[in-house]
Amino acid sequence: MHIALREVHDSDLPVFFRQMNDPEALRMAAFTHKDPADRDAFEAHWRKIRASDDVVRTILGDGDVIGSAAVYGEPGEREVTYWVDRAYWGQGVATAALRALLAEVRDRPLYGRAAADNAGSRRVLEKCGFEISARARGFAAARGEEIDEVVLHLAE
């Protein structure tokens, strides 16, 4: 599968909304919005990030919208995030998309976070050169409880 990134189009948002409301994906991501099914909040969030200086991209797989990837935050504290449709998990999509994003965004350091039990997301970050630099606990809205998370760091 050919993976590419492009700027987010309005027509991508309904796909993102559907992806970000998949119950299994929500549980795995853990740290989500309080109510991911709130369409108005979703639209407001995407208006805000698309108007910001954040780098936000649509992930395409053979031309189809299959997720999103972004770098956001203040210089020196910028973080990466990504969301891939569950139908494509385990196929190298997130790793390829993150590598493409890192080639586009040369700012360093960068950080990534994942639920400690989200081995797939941790592997993606580690394959892209991130190393675990801290552990924390935080409230995971998608799980309704505090959970452990790992913070990963990319220095180069």
Side-chain angles (χ1 to χ4, degrees):
M1 174 179 302
H2 174 71
I3 302 300
L5 302 181
R6 67 156 164 75
E7 295 208 9
V8 174
H9 298 168
D10 291 343
S11 61
D12 301 337
L13 298 181
V15 178
F16 295 166
F17 185 75
R18 178 186 53 76
Q19 291 170 343
M20 293 178 178
N21 275 282
D22 174 300
E24 189 173 336
L26 283 168
R27 176 156 176 47
M28 190 62 64
F31 298 99
T32 62
H33 294 283
K34 183 177 179 182
D35 181 7
D38 181 338
R39 186 62 180 245
D40 291 337
F42 171 86
E43 296 284 347
H45 171 74
W46 277 94
R47 275 193 304 276
K48 179 181 171 186
I49 63 173
R50 289 176 73 192
S52 73
D53 291 333
D54 297 340
V55 179
V56 184
R57 299 290 181 257
T58 294
I59 303 169
L60 301 173
D62 291 336
D64 294 326
V65 175
I66 60 173
S68 62
V71 174
Y72 67 95
E74 298 299 317
E77 299 176 8
R78 294 176 63 119
E79 290 191 34
V80 298
T81 186
Y82 44 87
W83 195 287
V84 173
D85 188 296
R86 185 164 46 101
Y88 298 92
W89 288 3
Q91 299 178 32
V93 170
T95 301
L98 183 55
R99 283 184 177 142
L101 186 65
L102 294 174
E104 180 179 341
V105 178
R106 303 302 303 168
D107 300 351
R108 302 293 184 268
L110 291 174
Y111 297 88
R113 295 175 173 268
D117 62 0
N118 186 340
S121 195
R122 285 181 26 211
R123 267 194 314 275
V124 167
L125 290 160
E126 289 169 344
K127 285 180 185 178
C128 291
F130 286 78
E131 297 178 353
I132 294 176
S133 58
R135 296 187 183 274
R137 280 190 67 77
F139 183 77
R143 299 185 189 180
E145 64 183 344
E146 270 198 18
I147 65 167
D148 293 328
E149 71 176 319
V150 292
V151 179
L152 296 97
H153 175 251
L154 179 66
E156 55 180 72

